[in-house]
Structures are given as C-alpha cells and as structure tokens.
Amino acid sequence: MKIAIASGKGGTGKTTLSTNLASYLAEKDKVVLIDLDVEEPNSGLFINGEMAYKEDKFKMIPEWEQDDCTLCGICQEVCNFHAVIQLSTQIMIFPELCHSCYACSELCPTSVLPMIPREMGKLKHYQNGNLSFVESRLNIGEEKAVPLISQTIEYVDEHFSDDIIKLYDAPPGTSCPVIEATKGVDFVILVTEPTPFGLHDLKIVVDTMKKLKKRYGIVINRFGIGNDDVLKYCHEEKIPILAKIPNNRRIAELYSCGELIYKKIPGVKQQLKDIEDYIMEIKNKGTG
Amino acid sequence: MKIAFTAKGTEWDSLIDPRFGRTEFIVIYDDEKNELFHDDNRDIESVAHGAGPQTAQKLFELTPDVLVTGNGPGGNAARVFEQSDIKIYVGANEMTVQEAFDAYKKGELKEF
C-alpha cells in the first residue's frame, strides 16, 4: 500500500510525521520510507541505517551533431519547454529545461539529435531492521525534480512488494513534483497547521487531490496554535481528521537535534496509532 | 545602431521592465532612422519554464547592437547571448526608456 504525506504549506511537519510514522510502523512490520522531496531531502537526518545501495540517476537529453543538420527548425518547434533553440546556424540545448520527451530527437529528419544520458542526482537506499529508507537527491543546478522522483518510485516498486506499507515523504506545494509524488498512491495524508496560512494552502492541496481523485485525510500539527478554522473547514468538507499533534516546544527541540518524537512526547504514539488504524482499515477494505 | 530596452510599455516614457526573460515588451530605438518600435512579449506570462532562452532568441532575431535592461539575463539567457555580439547594459531599474537611453549614452550603466 502506498501512502503519500503531503502538504500545501511547507514546514507543517511532513518529515516529522513521515519519519515518526515509518519508525513506529516498523516496530511491528516491514515499512519503506521514501524521501521524494528530492530538491531538499531531509528525512535521512532522522533515520539511522546501513547503506544497502547507491546509484547515480540519469535523465536523457538530446545532443546536437552539427554536421548533418539542415537547420530545418523542427526541433525547436516541437519543444514545448524551450529547451531546444535555433539561433541562425546554431542549435542550442538547455539540459535543465529538457523534459526528456524525445520529440526533437525522434522528429529530426536527419537524426542529428541523439539522446544521451546526463547525471541529475543520486539515489541511496538504507536498511535498519524492518525499516527501509530510500532517498534521492537532485544535483545542484538541476531544475527538474520530476524525472528523479519518478525514477525513485520505479526503484522502490522494483525492489519492494506493494503488500508492504510504502510512505512517500512528498515535496511541499501543489506543483508538478507533488503531482508526480502523489499520483500513484492509494491514500494521501495532508499535514497542516491550524493557522490562516495553513488553511489557505490546505484548500489548494485538497482541490489538487480532488482533481487527482485521491482519497485523503488530514493531520493537524502544532494543534493548539492559531484558530479553529481548519477544524471547521474539515467538518464542512467532511474530510477525516486522522490525528492532532499538539504544539509543544519539546517537539521542536527534538526535531532540531535530529531525534524522533514519538518515544519521548506523551500522546504522540497514540496519534500515530490512530493514523495506523485508519490506514489499516483502508488497506484491509481495499481502496474502493 | 539599434538599442533594445526591456520595458513595461511601448513609449519613451514607459518604465523599464527590470526582468529580462519575462519582460512585457522589447522596445527598440533605431538611431539612424530615429524610429522607436516594439515587440509585444506579454505571451511569455503563460510560459512556465524557459522564458529566458525564449526571449533571448526573440531578441537575437530583432538584431539590436545593444540591450539595456534592469537585473540582467539569467544563466540560460546568458548562454544564448554568448552566441551573439549584442552588448548588454544593466541597472536601468526604475528608469523610463528615455532615462535609460540617456544613462546609456552617458556611460552610466554597467556592462553585463
């Protein structure tokens, strides 16, 4: 079963929830935690483990071979992302803008744009008892997170059965990387905070999940600050609230030291259990 | 000589658009013909990625000798300019096209 932990607003507690939930579930059963926030992965700060595997990840980009080019201009016409540009007698490629769609390469009448691999980041796989942790990290300067996110999900699907709980720590926001990280999952946990800013971005991510036809529930973090508007919104929209993690300075202190909170903060374990119960009910009933 | 400006309008008293890739207009002054003309670049608003190279390509085709702009082109657009002889002057933020032209003539703008 695949579960994404997402949020509209950044800094609401996706990583706190992902790492604690993964470790808590791993006390009983096999779990895979995957950090898909490849532009700034940080789940690894909370997970200790032996590195089991590491590989460079590549994306395919076109390379211009000048000799047989007729400068017909088809390549730049078919590129939706302005990654291929013709300047008088030059074809320029912008690898960071390329979406690896192959259009320029395949439609080139003289085949002078072969696709070649370019390193975009690194995947690492750690193992700690029942808990497997996979993270990918985009190279500095790379603009596209989506290809690395999709290759990371592929890696996990090739190495772990869908019977295991897979937790995707998603990037914040609602743009392409979030769509990529959530489109294939069975359930999405949306982490929010009970503030006007939290609610504003929560509404955007709820609309996104509705469009993707996802099942989702909400975890309110830092419960106790702000106001009741998030609670009212969830009530009106009939969105299940899976857990409320209290606002507590000690949680921030533990987080800043790279420590998990559920063993040390009373009540958090029960909140994680509530989430587990909800997930297990969906798992046992199927996703319909 | 043709001098291009990134601008928020089409006239001498229009403000310079400090952005290169997402500039609303490219205004060009041809000092031999004493003509001011412009290219409407506002379609760029709907482009999610690659605004810099696209605007740079457009500018390339307008064949100016000089570009006067605000913040200066980003990395991708700068790569396009490496292929051209266009001289780029930056720092015309908050000026009108006229003021930016005068500042360029007096040598007050920084070459990119």
Side-chain angles (χ1 to χ4, degrees), chain A residues 175-200:
Chain A
S175 61
C176 299
V178 177
I179 308 299
E180 191 66 29
T182 54
K183 69 182 187 188
V185 302
D186 306 302
F187 188 74
V188 184
I189 299 174
L190 300 173
V191 188
T192 189
E193 59 180 35
T195 61
F197 191 0
L199 177 60
H200 176 273

Side-chain angles (χ1 to χ4, degrees), chain A residues 76 80-82 84-88 90 92-97 99 143-144 176, chain B residues 44 47 49-54 56-58 60-61 75-77 79-81 83:
Chain A
Q76 79 162 8
N80 268 339
F81 306 101
H82 310 109
V84 184
I85 278 180
Q86 183 178 351
L87 290 174
S88 59
Q90 288 272 323
M92 291 189 78
I93 314 270
F94 294 89
E96 293 85 5
L97 297 174
H99 284 55
E143 293 180 22
K144 293 279 161 290
C176 299
Chain B
I44 207 79
V47 172
H49 299 286
Q54 201 186 348
Q57 181 189 32
K58 187 185 254 182
F60 195 88
E61 285 165 4
N76 285 330
R79 266 190 63 209
V80 175
F81 284 118
Q83 307 295 322

Side-chain angles (χ1 to χ4, degrees), chain A residues 87-145:
Chain A
L87 290 174
S88 59
T89 58
Q90 288 272 323
I91 303 290
M92 291 189 78
I93 314 270
F94 294 89
E96 293 85 5
L97 297 174
C98 177
H99 284 55
S100 310
C101 76
Y102 284 66
C104 61
S105 185
E106 294 289 320
L107 295 170
C108 174
T110 49
S111 303
V112 296
L113 288 164
M115 298 296 279
I116 55 151
R118 167 192 160 98
E119 194 200 310
M120 62 173 164
K122 286 183 170 45
L123 177 148
K124 290 177 184 168
H125 173 173
Y126 298 85
Q127 199 65 42
N128 182 357
N130 273 339
L131 178 61
S132 304
F133 172 61
V134 177
E135 70 155 34
S136 283
R137 190 173 291 262
L138 201 62
N139 287 347
I140 291 170
E142 284 293 327
E143 293 180 22
K144 293 279 161 290

